Amino acid sequence: LSSGKRGGKDRPGKMSDKKVEEPQNTQDLTVFVQNLLQQMQGRFQTMSDAIIERIDEMGNRIDDLEKSIADLMTQAGFDENEAKKEAEAAQKAAARKAEITGEQAGAPANE
């Protein structure tokens, strides 16, 4: 018996129970494995393409969302640079007020 035949009919419950044509020699086994690997590669490539397509779609949707948010902010009159300038001005004004208040609070104590 050749090693190819031992793996089939002599062992019940193995590949012989399935309706898959078993390789009978080394050359058949090589062709079988190559075909199997090609099928797997094709399936992985299909899945990979689908994943990349979805990632691209999500990227486009995120870009559209960012643009919509920027448009809404513009319509509402919100300018990021303006907001930063206003916040800095408010901080400076609060600091000046604290200095003035601190000086005034200390002035009556000196008299």
Side-chain angles (χ1 to χ4, degrees), residues 1-68:
L1 291 176
S2 72
S3 63
K5 290 182 182 180
R6 264 188 284 152
K9 296 178 183 177
D10 293 342
R11 287 192 233 162
K14 294 290 181 185
M15 292 287 289
S16 62
D17 292 342
K18 296 181 180 179
K19 305 240 177 185
V20 175
E21 194 173 312
E22 292 185 22
Q24 297 299 317
N25 58 38
T26 306
Q27 187 176 9
D28 289 346
L29 180 61
T30 302
V31 171
F32 176 79
V33 170
Q34 286 176 344
N35 288 337
L36 186 62
L37 290 173
Q38 286 175 349
Q39 289 174 2
M40 289 173 58
Q41 183 178 6
R43 289 179 183 152
F44 282 125
Q45 187 63 48
T46 301
M47 289 187 332
S48 176
D49 291 345
I51 290 169
I52 289 171
E53 183 179 338
R54 285 188 175 197
I55 290 171
D56 288 343
E57 287 174 8
M58 290 302 295
N60 291 335
R61 292 173 73 182
I62 289 170
D63 291 343
D64 291 344
L65 183 59
E66 287 175 342
K67 185 180 181 303
S68 295

